[in-house]
């Protein structure tokens, strides 16, 4: 592993900060931080206004304007959810959030991260637009359904997790994105295997801590 990807034990004990929106894809990074037992802070972002909860100009943190962004203990800022997830997994190998680098299972995990990011997440995006038409909503829901069909087939062999037998950062990301069905007029129950996966992951203590911290769970 390149040395610049490694956090020293001292750095790990210092505080990181995750910039997030409640329930957005940044929730997956929040779950990963809970999983590794990190010392970290969170700050919500109004991406429409471009301001953090404290009133800071978010473009100074992430010029792209969206979440997540993870400020590391040394002040470096990492953006893009899949990159943050893999970084947290790789720098905390004992947490078991990723298969071994160079293994086929590792490639399978990256395969799933890519699918969730470039296919499922992308399919959902129009449903969060304020100016989408009813026809646009219908088309977007149909696109999501096609991706859900792929995932339902993936889980049809009885597997509990996306890759192997252990919870990985890919599971965290899928949980967050698939759960958006509940807020976009899509009946997740139409895909019972996927719905069971979402329900299963929602019961993890780390997931519940992240949901509570973001005000999404009482």
């Amino acid at each position: 592993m390149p040395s610049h990807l490694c956090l020293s034990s001292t750095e790990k004990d210092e505080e990181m900060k995750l910039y997030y929106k409640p329930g957005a894809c940044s929730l997956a990074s929040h779950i990963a931080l809970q999983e590794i037992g990190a010392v970290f802070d969170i700050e919500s972002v109004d991406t429409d206004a471009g301001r953090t909860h404290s009133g800071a100009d978010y473009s100074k943190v992430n010029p792209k304007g969206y979440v997540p962004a993870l400020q590391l203990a040394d002040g470096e800022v990492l953006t893009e959810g899949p990159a943050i997830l893999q970084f947290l997994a790789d720098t905390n190998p004992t947490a078991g959030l990723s298969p071994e680098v160079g293994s086929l299972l590792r490639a399978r995990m990256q395969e799933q991260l890519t699918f969730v990011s470039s296919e499922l997440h992308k399919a959902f995006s129009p449903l969060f637009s304020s100016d989408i038409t009813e026809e646009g909503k219908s088309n977007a829901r149909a696109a999501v359904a096609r991706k859900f069909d792929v995932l339902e087939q993936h889980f049809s062999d009885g597997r509990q997790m996306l890759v192997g037998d252990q919870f990985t950062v890919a599971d965290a990301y899928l949980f967050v994105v698939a759960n958006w069905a509940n807020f976009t007029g899509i009946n997740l129950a139409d895909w019972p295997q996927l719905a069971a996966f979402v329900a299963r992951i929602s019961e993890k203590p780390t997931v519940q801590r992240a949901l509570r911290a973001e005000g999404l769970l009482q």
Side-chain angles (χ1 to χ4, degrees), residues 43-179:
E43 184 167 358
S44 63
V45 179
D46 182 337
T47 52
D48 292 330
R51 293 283 170 181
T52 70
H53 181 72
S54 64
D57 180 357
Y58 185 57
S59 70
K60 302 294 185 183
V61 177
N62 182 8
K64 300 168 186 174
Y66 50 77
V67 294
L70 181 65
Q71 182 176 300
L72 305 178
D74 62 2
E76 288 277 345
V77 175
L78 185 61
T79 65
E80 303 298 333
I84 292 171
L85 291 170
Q86 290 180 94
F87 175 78
L88 293 174
D90 288 347
T91 53
N92 297 272
T94 57
L97 293 178
S98 173
E100 183 180 356
V101 174
S103 67
L104 179 58
L105 275 180
R106 166 74 175 208
R108 291 296 187 195
M109 185 200 74
Q110 292 174 316
E111 178 182 34
Q112 295 298 339
L113 276 176
T114 302
F115 178 78
V116 175
S117 176
S118 65
E119 297 294 331
L120 184 59
H121 189 159
K122 182 179 178 180
F124 264 109
S125 293
L127 293 169
F128 294 105
S129 172
S130 59
D131 57 2
I132 189 173
T133 65
E134 286 303 316
E135 181 181 7
K137 288 180 181 179
S138 179
N139 291 338
R141 289 177 182 133
V144 170
R146 290 192 293 271
K147 311 308 176 186
F148 276 3
D149 288 345
V150 173
L151 290 161
E152 184 73 5
Q153 178 62 34
H154 184 71
F155 283 109
S156 66
D157 62 1
R159 68 179 67 216
Q160 300 293 292
M161 302 294 170
L162 271 174
V163 178
D165 299 323
Q166 192 160 349
F167 178 84
T168 71
V169 290
D171 295 301
Y173 195 9
L174 176 58
F175 162 75
V176 172
V177 178
N179 194 51

Side-chain angles (χ1 to χ4, degrees), residues 177-198:
V177 178
N179 194 51
W180 292 343
N182 294 312
F183 309 99
T184 53
I186 298 171
N187 188 359
L188 191 58
D190 290 342
W191 297 270
Q193 300 295 332
L194 180 59
F197 166 84
V198 171

